[in-house]
Structure formats: C-alpha cells, structure tokens
Amino acid sequence: MDNDIFYNPTKVIFGRNTELLVGDEVAKYGDKVLLHYGGGSAERSGLLDRVRKSLKASDITVYELGGVKSNPRLELVYEGIAMCRSNGIGFVLAVGGGSVIDSAKAIACGTPNSDDVWDYFLEEKTAKAILPIGTILTIPGAGSESSDGMVITNEKTRQKLAYSDLGARPVFSILNPELTFSVPAYHTAAGISDAIAHIMERYFTKTEHTDVVDRMCESVMRGLMRNAKAAITQPEDYNARAEIMWACKVAHDGLLGMGREEDWGSHAIEHEVSAVFDVSHGAGLSAIFPAWIKYVYKNKPQRFIQWAMRVFDVEYDVTDPDWTVMQGLKRYLGFLKSINMPTSLRDLGVTDKSVLDEMAHKCAEDNGGTVGHFAVLKESDIRNIYELAY
C-alpha cells in the first residue's frame, strides 16, 4: 500500500423520514440557505414542501434556485453565486442527485471568492474559502453526497471538467432510501453503473499489496449487482434501495481508494461523450468502461483475472488466462445489458464516427495531454478506445 490520508467529515443521516431533520442540521451553520434542486419531481413528491417546513420551523430564511439539469451547467452556477452574494447566504442545501449536488458545490466554491469559479475547473486557481454544503439525496450513484469532487459542463466551450477540494465535502448528507422509490428504472440503472465504475477506477491499480481494500471493492461491486434487479423491478423494495444507496455512497467517499494509485481515465474519456451528447454519465460509462478494459488489460492481466474470478466467479484457465479476463468482461457486459444500460456508443445514439476524432483531441487537451494512471493514454489511445466503444 502507498502512504495515504483518509479524510471524510461528512455526517451521514440514514433512514426513513430523515429529511425532516434538515432544519436542525442547517441551523447549526446560520439562518439563511440557498435551496438548490432540479426539475419538478422533488416538488411533485412533496419532498420540497417537507424540507421548506423543516427549515421554517428552525427560523431559516430560504432562497430557492431550481432548474439543475443532468450534466449541470455553468450558467446556473453563476446564477446561484450571484444569489448567494446579493442576499448574504452562507449555506447551500442540495436536494436531488449528483448533478444537483455538484452544482451546489460549485456555487459554494464560487460565492466567497472573487475568482471566476470556472478557473478552478481549468486548474488555474483553487478556492480559498467554500460555503458549507448539505445534501438530501434522491438519486444514488454519483457519490457526490460525501465526496470532495464536482463536475460542471460549460456549454459555451463544450467542456465537462472536474474540480476537487477537501472543503467541498458536504457537512451533512441525508440518505432516505424511500426518496429513491420514484426514480425511473433507467436512472436507477445508470446510478448503479456509475457507482461500479467509481469502484473500478480505484480497483484497477498498479499499486501492490492492497488485498484488504481489493476485497472491500469486490464486495461492494457484488452487492450493487445483487440488489440491482430488485431495485429496478420492485422500485419500493426498501431493503434493495437501502443497500444500493449505501453502496453508492461507499463507492465514492474515498475509502475504497485508500493506499492505492487510482486511474480515472475512463471517466475523463466519458466526460467528452456526455459533454457533446448530453447523455447520462452512468450510461456513458457503461459504454466506455468495457472498451477501456479490452484496450488496457494486458498491461497487468493478473488484476483483471482477479476481478473476473472474485467479482464474476469465473474459473481460472491456466492454459488461456486471456479467456478468464474475457469471460469476466462478458459477464460484466451481460449485467449491464440485464439492467438495460447501453454497452456501445451506438446504443447511446452516436451515429457519426467523425466526432470521435474531435472528442479524443479535446479529451487529451483538457487533461494535459494524457489521461489515466493504470494505463497512461495519449490522444491516439483515447481515439482507439472510442472506436472499440463504438
């Protein structure tokens, strides 16, 4: 294992009706809050009304900004920053999934600083101060409810970039599995795909002697797949929803990356897909990650053999180790198809291959020339992975 630091101060409040506690939690940080959310589902379900009542009962003045979309937009972040500054708001509360939470984090990063918040994503500056953030999670998968990262899309430049800062971890996150009952099957599946990808970005590493964390990664991946069908076909199965909600949180809170070099090449490659085609990030990863595995597994085949054997119960073929890896990949693809996730760029509606060159160039350019650590990929490699994914 490598030297490392695990730091995750997010207070997680888990279980039924826990959203009713939000007023007490926010009141610890001030008396003004920006309530940030997405479309109409939180309103229609009555969740926002329950949140408003709880905040009002704690004498908190509420300012609201809705309209967050999948692949959250920079323009709305700017609007939120302006609202917080002009009204002296000192706390941002996100009610929604990963896109809402990421947007809230960016607002919290931009508000107390004089910089253009986009400079943080361009890696030109870092935030000197960050407002405290709370979340009420409604769509598990992104893991943003207890991570230090965020991803924002700049529609003008067609860039989708990430920024991480330890200060961006939410101070509390409320996780009530009942709030996920109404999540459509497709978005439930995309969240599960996203969470598995978060684990694999950490699992596929060149770092040696990581057995304990390896087995934790394998257990969480198996748990996600074991509960996926029940959550999708029986959306009000509380136990399945609870298992998935917790697994998605653990997948991206830093614990499963402890003591190891992480990769994140597949995420960078997928960001170009969702930036251009505005697809769900988890769905994009279900098309990109299998192609990445095909392209890089020979760099360190033993790690992929271990993945195939421990996660998918593939028997080791001593005469043909590649067969073992390919069987693992086949079962991974079979799982993705079983939850109706796309497994190719064509499945995502990408019909013009000419765009692959543009995406590969932008991906390399936006990431300093290369992506990944398990396998360091140049523009030509990225283009080859897009071709495999097509």
Side-chain angles (χ1 to χ4, degrees):
M1 288 180 68
D2 296 335
N3 288 6
D4 210 343
I5 297 172
F6 178 71
Y7 175 76
N8 195 327
T10 303
K11 176 182 180 179
V12 177
I13 305 167
F14 190 95
R16 293 180 172 92
N17 301 317
T18 45
E19 68 273 15
L20 303 180
L21 304 174
V22 67
D24 291 340
E25 293 299 322
V26 173
K28 297 173 184 177
Y29 300 92
D31 59 1
K32 291 183 179 181
V33 64
L34 177 67
L35 177 57
H36 198 37
Y37 51 91
S41 60
E43 190 77 76
R44 290 191 300 272
S45 69
L47 173 58
L48 285 178
D49 275 343
R50 296 196 297 275
V51 170
R52 293 178 185 119
K53 289 177 182 177
S54 180
L55 293 169
K56 183 178 180 181
S58 293
D59 296 321
I60 295 166
T61 302
V62 179
Y63 299 83
E64 297 191 18
L65 179 62
V68 180
K69 300 177 181 178
S70 178
N71 303 309
R73 310 312 202 255
L74 180 61
E75 285 302 315
L76 193 64
V77 170
Y78 286 144
E79 188 176 338
I81 291 170
M83 284 184 67
C84 287
R85 288 176 177 171
S86 62
N87 293 288
I89 299 169
F91 193 93
V92 185
L93 175 64
V95 178
S99 294
V100 175
I101 299 171
D102 282 5
S103 185
K105 287 179 177 180
I107 291 168
C109 286
T111 297
N113 301 292
S114 59
D115 311 318
D116 182 342
V117 69
W118 187 242
D119 287 343
Y120 305 150
F121 294 85
L122 294 172
E123 299 184 351
E124 295 176 357
K125 296 179 181 178
T126 57
K128 296 181 177 65
I130 302 175
L131 297 184
I133 307 146
T135 85
I136 299 176
L137 183 65
T138 62
I139 306 176
S144 196
E145 64 272 14
S146 62
S147 78
D148 61 5
M150 67 208 81
V151 181
I152 296 295
T153 298
N154 185 332
E155 286 188 292
K156 291 181 179 178
T157 62
R158 297 180 77 185
Q159 289 174 291
K160 183 178 179 180
L161 300 179
Y163 175 61
S164 295
D165 193 303
L166 290 177
R169 289 191 190 274
V171 294
F172 71 81
S173 284
I174 291 172
L175 277 60
N176 175 0
E178 291 177 322
L179 301 181
T180 71
F181 287 177
S182 61
V183 177
Y186 183 85
H187 293 298
T188 298
I192 292 167
S193 170
D194 193 4
I196 291 172
H198 288 157
I199 301 168
M200 294 197 298
E201 294 282 21
R202 296 169 165 99
Y203 188 81
F204 296 122
T205 179
K206 292 183 290 186
T207 308
E208 300 290 344
H209 307 295
T210 58
D211 186 58
V212 170
V213 182
D214 281 355
R215 292 181 184 277
M216 292 167 68
C217 289
E218 293 153 7
S219 176
V220 179
M221 282 190 275
R222 290 175 68 98
L224 280 163
M225 290 187 287
R226 186 167 53 248
N227 287 281
K229 184 175 181 180
I232 290 168
T233 60
Q234 303 171 57
E236 295 190 8
D237 183 331
Y238 181 89
N239 292 323
R241 290 285 190 175
E243 296 281 2
I244 287 169
M245 195 171 222
W246 187 251
C248 290
K249 183 266 182 198
V250 172
H252 201 41
D253 67 4
L255 181 63
L256 301 185
M258 187 65 189
R260 63 210 291 140
E261 181 183 53
E262 302 175 8
D263 187 73
W264 298 104
S266 294
H267 268 66
I269 293 169
E270 193 289 322
H271 282 167
E272 298 303 322
V273 178
S274 48
V276 174
F277 295 99
D278 198 25
V279 299
S280 167
H281 179 52
L285 284 166
S286 73
I288 293 298
F289 226 117
W292 178 88
I293 290 172
K294 288 180 188 176
Y295 194 76
V296 309
Y297 82 90
K298 290 189 177 180
N299 288 22
K300 193 176 181 181
Q302 186 54 44
R303 180 139 290 269
F304 292 87
I305 291 169
Q306 176 179 295
W307 170 75
M309 294 176 66
R310 292 187 184 175
V311 179
F312 294 99
D313 299 321
V314 178
E315 293 187 10
Y316 181 60
D317 188 334
V318 66
T319 63
D320 188 2
D322 283 0
W323 177 89
T324 305
V325 177
M326 289 299 104
Q327 281 297 305
L329 180 58
K330 180 180 179 180
R331 294 182 190 187
Y332 172 42
L333 286 165
F335 165 73
L336 293 172
K337 291 175 181 177
S338 76
I339 59 172
N340 294 317
M341 278 288 95
T343 55
S344 72
L345 292 178
R346 282 178 293 179
D347 289 344
L348 287 168
V350 181
T351 56
D352 182 4
K353 288 179 69 173
S354 66
V355 75
L356 304 185
D357 293 321
E358 175 193 346
M359 291 196 302
H361 178 73
K362 285 192 68 181
C363 182
E365 184 178 57
D366 287 345
N367 291 280
T370 63
V371 301
H373 296 96
F374 176 85
V376 178
L377 304 172
K378 300 178 181 179
E379 181 177 333
S380 58
D381 299 307
I382 297 166
R383 176 60 177 78
N384 290 338
I385 289 171
Y386 283 139
E387 183 72 30
L388 281 173
Y390 187 80

